[in-house]
């Protein structure tokens, strides 16, 4: 699936902490029905074979809704499952190494917390960057916070688009208006909701007003 900046508008990152009444696949489908524009599958404690099997199922589901699937951290799983891309953190494989291993058109996202990291990611061939944490994050309590001013400087320093991440919710997302983000990445704001489809649709409407600044 060819990368387009518009894919970043509402970026859903999965988390098994919220699995309960629904399976992970059911939660993802509810989010897709609500209008998420890209899905990142994150599995920190699953062996690779199971991860690949799950990624294949999620990829098929996402493609049914014409939405790309990104795998968190694991390039091998992304390639074996036919996912559309991979997102690498600061402590994961460098973007330049990943770019050498993947086919043309493969989407690569990179976490960036500084202007220097953003410039390095862009030069290495990243398609987009995830910048944060912009608010205290319930899923990553030790995440380094960045200010709105830092967010703006990082985004302005490169030409690749950015998603803001970290503790973003329906109630606070408007605080990053004017930062030139292309979208927001969320976990609990979608998967922690009682009504995932409804919460996703409401959040998407509000994010449009933030991105449209």
């Amino acid at each position: 699936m060819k990368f387009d900046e518009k894919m970043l508008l509402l970026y859903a990152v999965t988390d098994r902490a919220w699995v309960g009444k629904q399976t992970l696949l059911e939660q993802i489908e509810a989010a897709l029905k609500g209008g998420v524009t890209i899905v990142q599958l994150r599995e920190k404690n699953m062996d690779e074979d199971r991860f690949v099997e799950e990624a294949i199922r999620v990829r098929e589901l996402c493609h049914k809704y014409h939405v790309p699937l990104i795998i968190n951290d694991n390039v091998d799983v992304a390639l074996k499952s036919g996912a559309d891309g991979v997102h690498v953190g600061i402590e994961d494989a460098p973007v330049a190494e990943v770019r050498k291993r993947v086919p043309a058109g493969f989407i690569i996202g990179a976490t960036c917390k500084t202007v220097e990291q953003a410039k390095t990611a862009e030069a290495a061939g990243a398609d987009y960057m995830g910048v944060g944490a912009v608010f205290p994050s319930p899923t990553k309590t030790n995440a380094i916070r960045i200010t709105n001013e830092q967010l703006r400087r990082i985004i302005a320093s490169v030409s690749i688009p950015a998603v803001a991440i970290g503790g973003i919710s329906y109630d606070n997302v408007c605080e990053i208006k004017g930062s030139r983000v292309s979208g927001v990445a969320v976990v609990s704001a979608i998967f922690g909701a009682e009504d995932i489809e409804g919460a996703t649709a409401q959040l998407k409407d509000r994010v449009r007003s933030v991105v449209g600044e």
Side-chain angles (χ1 to χ4, degrees), residues 12-212:
V13 182
T14 68
D15 188 339
R16 284 194 171 271
W18 304 106
V19 172
K21 294 178 183 177
Q22 294 177 299
T23 65
L24 187 68
L25 273 177
E26 287 171 338
Q27 289 184 329
I28 293 170
E29 182 150 35
L32 288 163
K33 286 178 178 177
V36 296
T37 52
I38 191 167
V39 172
Q40 182 186 129
L41 183 61
R42 184 166 66 188
E43 291 288 8
K44 294 291 189 182
N45 302 302
M46 185 177 282
D47 70 68
E48 188 166 295
D49 288 341
R50 284 183 60 215
F51 196 174
V52 171
E53 289 171 5
E54 179 182 76
I56 290 169
R57 290 194 295 271
V58 176
R59 188 244 310 149
E60 290 171 348
L61 179 61
C62 287
H63 285 191
K64 188 172 103 175
Y65 289 86
H66 309 291
V67 167
L69 173 65
I70 304 297
I71 301 298
N72 179 255
D73 294 349
N74 198 316
V75 182
D76 290 329
V77 169
L79 292 171
K80 289 176 183 177
S81 66
D84 300 287
V86 68
H87 186 94
V88 290
I90 294 165
E91 297 174 357
D92 299 319
V95 172
E97 287 183 17
V98 176
R99 185 54 78 194
K100 290 175 185 175
R101 293 187 54 198
V102 300
F106 193 82
I107 301 167
I108 301 177
T111 298
C112 301
K113 296 180 181 292
T114 66
V115 167
E116 182 182 6
Q117 288 169 356
K119 289 181 175 179
T120 299
E122 180 180 44
D127 294 290
Y128 73 91
M129 56 185 179
V131 185
V134 293
F135 300 107
S137 172
T139 54
K140 287 192 175 183
T141 53
N142 61 343
I144 298 169
R145 287 284 310 282
I146 67 165
T147 65
N148 267 352
E149 180 55 35
Q150 288 172 315
L151 176 65
R152 291 185 178 93
R153 282 206 308 268
I154 292 166
I155 292 171
S157 70
V158 293
S159 60
I160 57 174
V163 287
I165 189 167
I168 295 169
S169 69
Y170 180 85
D171 293 329
N172 66 21
V173 69
C174 288
E175 293 179 34
I176 60 170
K177 195 168 185 175
S179 61
R180 290 181 49 234
V181 291
S182 296
V184 300
V186 296
V187 185
S188 58
I190 287 178
F191 295 111
E194 189 71 27
D195 173 12
I196 291 175
E197 183 178 345
T200 301
Q202 284 187 320
L203 180 58
K204 187 176 184 179
D205 281 342
R206 183 157 280 193
V207 173
R208 278 198 186 103
S209 71
V210 172
V211 171

